[in-house]
Amino acid sequence: MKDFIYYAPTEVVFGKESEEQVARLVKKYGGHKVLVHYGGQSAIKSGLLDKMCNLLDEAGIEYVKLGGVVPNPRLSKIYEGIDLCRKEGVDFILAVGGGSVIDSAKGIAYGVPYEGDVWDFYLGKDEAQTCLPLACVLTIPAAGSEMSEASVVTNEDGDVKLGYSNDISRPKFAIMNPCRTFTLPPYQTAAGVTDMIMHTMERYFTHDDDMILTTELAEAVMRTMMDSVFAVLKNPEDYRHRAQIMWGGSVAHNGLTGCGVADDWATHQLEHELSGMFDVTHGAGLAAVWPSWARYVYKENVSRFVRFAVNVLGVPNDFSDPEGTALKGIEAMERFYHAIGMPINIHELIGRDITDEEIKEMVRKCSRDYKATQGCFKVLHAEDMEAIYKMAK
Ligand code: NZQ
Ligand code: ZN
């Protein structure tokens, strides 16, 4: 078991009336001039954006707006936000949207007080010492950015998608109203649930399997998400199950399911190259890679994969054949992905065969020019990454 620090400072305000509290919370955390940051259309269409602005108006809080964040958020939008915040004297950022908007907000928050290029943080050339306070009104449960320390950004110059993690960017508060997720299309709902299950799996597939409570919590999160996703795909306005999913997305990525264990993240790193190169939905990219990663690494700790198969997916335990049980678990996971409309390989993800040149380019980026490894359940070198991408073709 590893020593650990659990740090989840975000104030979560959850439920049907949660949005009413936005102005009080902005004031509580010191906001005087707010950047209201949002995505494409969904927050405008639903009336959420207007509602947030009206509540700020009524409370006498000044704000400026910046929309247009796209999924797999772009560095250019962050530069635009930094310029706007400096010009307008913004001291607080309110992200209204999902992981992409929140991650863009984090990038802006780092960049405003920084004299250099904010991309340096993502490149690992510098560490942010300070950032503007930020918060969010979450509209899609998926990335877990509403409580996490991570921001993942795509630099259009070279289609490089990189993450930067720093506790100072954890949102001050996160408003979560499950009713706001009723309008999510089935594909985004399923991709979101895939992402949050994957955030749990990245921590679950570990060699530190003596932290019983963490393991049991992780299994409960995964089983609950798997049950609830079918309920909301059938009835998008099922509040009870939308609520499980919304809270599940945060619990899956606020560190709780990682206490005492070494986490892996190889599947995420392999996926970031896919969404960087092909601009696909992150959760769908994870589903396309995970089965191949799992078949490539399961022998490192067969009993962990057996436990996953039996406790999470209900596969009968064939005690005489642990490897067989482990592999049946991976097959069951593929059936789950298909049942919710997710791909299980790259062809299904991008709608065509990936070329060997494209794989080589992803390997180069994922291995940071052949200098870095990924993961720790099995440490992946460039040749392992290539093998997994080829298995996932
Ligand atoms: O732009 P709009 O019109 O708002 O549409 C969005 C977008 O097209 C739509 N949407 C959001 N809320 C909606 C809605 N549509 C209808 N009704 C609603 N209530 O959903 C689409 C996807 O939104 P996005 O914010 O991109 O989704 P998600 O939360 O999955 O974020 C994905 C990004 O997060 C990164 C991913 O790599 C990806 O770039 N991640 C961030 C992490 C973090 N910061 O901790 C960790 C994750 O592993 C992940 O890498
Ligand atoms: Zn993710």
Side-chain angles (χ1 to χ4, degrees):
M1 191 188 304
K2 286 203 148 11
D3 293 354
F4 65 88
I5 293 172
Y6 177 62
Y7 182 64
T10 303
E11 180 172 348
V12 173
V13 183
F14 194 98
K16 291 177 186 165
E17 305 301 323
S18 53
E19 292 151 10
E20 306 300 326
Q21 302 189 44
V22 68
R24 175 185 72 77
L25 289 162
V26 168
K27 281 187 181 163
K28 175 176 173 180
Y29 290 102
H32 300 96
K33 177 93 183 245
V34 177
L35 173 72
V36 180
H37 199 34
Y38 59 99
Q41 284 303 312
S42 72
I44 299 171
K45 264 198 213 157
S46 70
L48 177 63
L49 190 71
D50 278 350
K51 181 171 181 181
M52 293 302 96
C53 292
N54 290 340
L55 287 166
L56 294 178
D57 274 333
E58 283 166 19
I61 300 170
E62 283 186 64
Y63 60 86
V64 287
K65 294 195 274 186
L66 178 64
V69 178
V70 293
N72 303 316
R74 307 299 200 266
L75 182 60
S76 55
K77 182 59 70 177
I78 289 175
Y79 290 146
E80 194 185 333
I82 293 169
D83 287 345
L84 181 65
C85 287
R86 286 179 179 160
K87 191 171 124 232
E88 296 286 341
V90 163
D91 62 8
F92 194 95
I93 305 179
L94 182 68
V96 181
S100 295
V101 177
I102 303 169
D103 286 4
S104 181
K106 288 176 180 175
I108 296 169
Y110 289 131
V112 172
Y114 185 58
E115 285 182 3
D117 182 351
V118 70
W119 187 240
D120 285 352
F121 300 134
Y122 296 83
L123 288 172
K125 289 185 179 168
D126 203 356
E127 282 293 339
Q129 303 302 322
T130 179
C131 76
L132 289 188
L134 65 114
C136 64
V137 183
L138 187 65
T139 62
I140 169 171
S145 188
E146 66 276 10
M147 290 184 80
S148 86
E149 81 288 28
S151 161
V152 187
V153 171
T154 298
N155 183 345
E156 311 82 312
D157 184 7
D159 291 340
V160 182
K161 187 175 185 185
L162 291 173
Y164 176 57
S165 293
N166 189 322
D167 275 330
I168 60 174
S169 76
R170 288 187 195 257
K172 298 293 178 200
F173 65 83
I175 290 177
M176 301 189 213
N177 177 358
C179 298
R180 291 291 173 187
T181 69
F182 291 172
T183 52
L184 279 172
Y187 190 78
Q188 289 298 339
T189 298
V193 167
T194 301
D195 192 17
M196 58 186 77
I197 292 173
M198 196 67 234
H199 292 159
T200 316
M201 289 157 83
E202 297 280 18
R203 296 164 167 106
Y204 181 86
F205 289 104
T206 176
H207 298 289
D208 300 306
D209 42 15
D210 52 353
M211 187 65 185
I212 302 161
L213 182 59
T214 294
T215 298
E216 295 279 349
L217 282 169
E219 289 171 354
V221 169
M222 291 189 277
R223 280 195 307 266
T224 308
M225 296 307 101
M226 284 178 186
D227 285 347
S228 291
V229 70
F230 290 108
V232 302
L233 288 175
K234 204 164 154 207
N235 174 12
E237 304 204 359
D238 183 331
Y239 181 86
R240 180 165 172 248
H241 287 285
R242 286 285 189 195
Q244 313 307 311
I245 292 173
M246 197 162 211
W247 182 223
S250 301
V251 172
H253 203 36
N254 70 6
L256 192 61
T257 61
C259 293
V261 304
D263 37 12
D264 189 76
W265 299 103
T267 307
H268 263 74
Q269 295 300 332
L270 292 163
E271 192 291 322
H272 283 168
E273 304 314 331
L274 282 170
S275 43
M277 185 178 280
F278 300 106
D279 203 18
V280 290
T281 302
H282 168 64
L286 294 170
V289 172
W290 185 80
S292 298
W293 173 84
R295 287 196 177 88
Y296 194 75
V297 306
Y298 77 98
K299 287 187 183 163
E300 301 291 313
N301 187 347
V302 172
S303 65
R304 198 66 175 165
F305 272 88
V306 168
R307 189 179 166 129
F308 176 71
V310 175
N311 288 4
V312 180
L313 292 155
V315 171
N317 197 344
D318 180 351
F319 293 96
S320 65
D321 183 12
E323 285 200 19
T325 306
L327 288 169
K328 282 195 182 114
I330 298 168
E331 284 161 20
M333 198 62 196
E334 288 178 320
R335 283 196 297 279
F336 167 74
Y337 287 144
H338 270 168
I340 62 170
M342 288 289 103
I344 60 166
N345 55 49
I346 298 173
H347 187 105
E348 289 181 7
L349 177 72
I350 64 173
R352 65 163 171 85
D353 287 339
I354 187 167
T355 66
D356 286 346
E357 287 66 39
E358 287 167 334
I359 288 182
K360 282 203 163 57
E361 180 62 1
M362 290 199 298
V363 170
R364 184 185 69 72
K365 288 178 180 167
C366 196
S367 66
R368 314 288 179 254
D369 287 318
Y370 313 104
K371 290 186 199 111
T373 59
Q374 298 293 355
C376 63
F377 187 77
K378 177 178 171 66
V379 175
L380 303 182
H381 297 267
E383 56 271 24
D384 302 307
M385 299 170 197
E386 185 169 353
I388 293 170
Y389 281 134
K390 285 190 168 158
M391 280 169 74
K393 266 173 115 164

